[in-house]
Structures are given as structure tokens and as C-alpha cells.
Amino acid sequence: MTTLNRPSTPDGHVCGIDTAMEVIGGKWKVLILWALHEHPHRRFGELRRLLPGVTEKVLASHLREMEADGVVGRVSYDEVPPRVEYALTGDGRRLDEALRPLAAWGRERATGQEQQAAE
């Protein structure tokens, strides 16, 4: 995935967060990570049901990108009918763990805003 207008550094990234955002950027990618963490080894249709609102086109595209980035693995079984499952790779599990503090921050923020609205 190539991003335009990057600063002129050798790899096009300014910092580690910039690199990580390139991998998880997109409305559905962090939710795909969550779904595969909570429900490992899922088929495409199962993932789609776990993520209401995602289109088949977007899910397929994101899964291909995440596979290319090495955070999601795709296993195709030689069966009739064909079966394909997706799961987090080691890097995907590490990324999921790295996002946990951000998720906690988001939950705390949402709770704080709910309390402020009630006051």
C-alpha cells in the first residue's frame, strides 16, 4: 500500500506510529483484528457476520491488505466444498496486544463523556 505525500525519509515513515497506522488504517481493520482475536480461525462469512455493516468488497480488500502486511494469515483447505480460514499471525497478535491500551483509553473516554452528559 503506497501513501502519497510522505516526508522524504528512506522508508517514507516519520515514526513507529506512522508505520502502524499504515497497517491498521481504515474503518474496519482494527475491528477485523478484534474479531479474529475474539474468534480465531474464522471463515469469510463468519467474519462478515461478526462485523455488521461491512461490505463483502471492503472485507475482502482489507483481508488481502492485512495478509500482505503479515498480520492476518489465510489457510485454504483442499476440501469439497473449498474452505478458507483467516487467523491472526504472530505479528497480528502482537499488534492486537499493542492496541489494548488504546482500547482501554477509548472505553474510559466514552464512560467519562457519558457521565458528563448525565450531569
Side-chain angles (χ1 to χ4, degrees):
M1 175 191 312
T2 304
T3 306
L4 301 176
N5 299 324
R6 291 280 184 201
S8 57
T9 59
D11 65 356
H13 297 105
V14 176
C15 68
I17 291 175
D18 189 30
T19 305
M21 290 305 296
E22 189 169 302
V23 174
I24 62 171
K27 179 177 179 179
W28 296 99
K29 287 185 179 180
V30 291
L31 295 175
I32 293 168
L33 281 170
W34 166 83
L36 288 173
H37 171 79
E38 294 292 318
H39 309 278
H41 305 285
R42 292 294 151 181
R43 297 175 77 170
F44 184 88
E46 294 171 321
L47 281 173
R48 185 145 186 252
R49 283 188 291 280
L50 288 169
L51 303 168
V54 70
T55 64
E56 285 186 29
K57 180 180 176 181
V58 169
L59 181 57
S61 172
H62 280 349
L63 285 168
R64 276 193 302 273
E65 290 172 10
M66 294 170 79
E67 184 180 4
D69 288 331
V71 295
V72 170
R74 179 182 186 272
V75 177
S76 181
Y77 295 92
D78 190 21
E79 299 176 350
V80 176
R83 178 170 57 115
V84 175
E85 289 183 349
Y86 296 91
L88 295 179
T89 63
D91 269 354
R93 288 187 295 277
R94 287 180 48 227
L95 177 57
D96 183 66
E97 285 298 317
L99 291 171
R100 292 204 177 272
L102 183 61
W105 178 85
R107 284 189 300 274
E108 290 169 9
R109 182 172 169 85
T111 301
Q113 288 178 349
E114 289 171 5
Q115 290 174 352
Q116 287 178 355
E119 292 176 356

